[in-house]
């Protein structure tokens, strides 16, 4: 497999603790291992980015400014990231950026001048890895207590934590999610996750582009 040149992360539930519709930078808490995983990528010269659905904007629960403040705090704690892609749309808006649509991943890959096939997406729900698949990137699911068991079962590549996911991407890149033979190969990296045996810049991204099926 070709080496991974960029890794794109979901934000809420993957890089930071999930606080529904958070507009308060003071509530930002990195998940365990996030700093170390990102440091390892940057040491290897891998570009990093965030692809996040933020439908709270469309729902009137957040403003664009709220999201940018929270993102700045994430960047202070875990950055600098090479690209941010934020979808402000709701699930019924029909946009092409909201995960599981591929728009955010494609836009972010273009911003870091990397082919989608040389990118990986790490997230905590099925919409994250599905967006990767549709974009032609590699997707790795890192389940959390809110990840649905069926999402974990359907994911081709599953890791118990961020560091394991990053190490595998660097040292033994998984196959793309849509192999030419039509028979995807499912892989689990490391021990099975505890709990479940196994989250949301518009089409021309304003770079403000959240899946949160747990937030209908």
């Amino acid at each position: 497999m070709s080496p991974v040149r960029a890794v794109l992360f979901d934000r809420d539930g993957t890089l930071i603790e999930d606080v529904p519709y958070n507009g308060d930078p003071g509530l930002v808490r990195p998940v365990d291992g996030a700093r170390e995983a990102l440091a390892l990528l940057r040491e290897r010269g891998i570009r990093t980015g965030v692809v996040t659905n933020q439908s709270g904007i469309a729902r009137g629960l957040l403003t664009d400014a709220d999201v940018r403040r929270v993102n700045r705090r994430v960047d202070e704690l875990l950055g600098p990231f090479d690209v941010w892609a934020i979808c402000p749309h709701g699930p019924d808006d029909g946009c092409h950026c909201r995960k599981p649509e591929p728009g955010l991943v494609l836009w972010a890959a273009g911003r870091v001048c990397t082919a989608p096939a040389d990118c990986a997406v790490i997230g905590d729900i099925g919409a994250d890895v599905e967006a990767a698949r549709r974009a032609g990137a590699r997707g790795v699911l890192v389940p959390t207590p809110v990840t649905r068991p069926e999402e974990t079962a359907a994911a081709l590549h599953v890791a118990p934590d961020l560091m394991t996911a990053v190490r595998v991407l660097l040292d033994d890149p998984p196959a793309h999610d849509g192999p030419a033979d039509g028979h995807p190969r499912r892989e689990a990296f490391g021990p099975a996750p505890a709990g479940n045996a196994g989250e949301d810049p518009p089409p021309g991204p304003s770079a403000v582009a959240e899946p949160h099926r747990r937030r209908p």
Side-chain angles (χ1 to χ4, degrees), residues 61-80:
L61 302 172
L62 295 169
T63 66
D64 177 84
D66 292 332
V67 172
R68 290 180 184 275
R69 281 193 294 269
V70 170
N71 289 347
R72 280 197 296 271
R73 182 57 177 161
V74 176
D75 223 31
E76 289 170 0
L77 294 172
L78 298 174

Side-chain angles (χ1 to χ4, degrees), residues 37-51:
L38 287 160
L40 180 58
L41 288 170
R42 293 170 181 140
E43 287 171 7
R44 300 280 190 95
I46 308 298
R47 312 296 293 272
T48 61
V50 180
V51 286

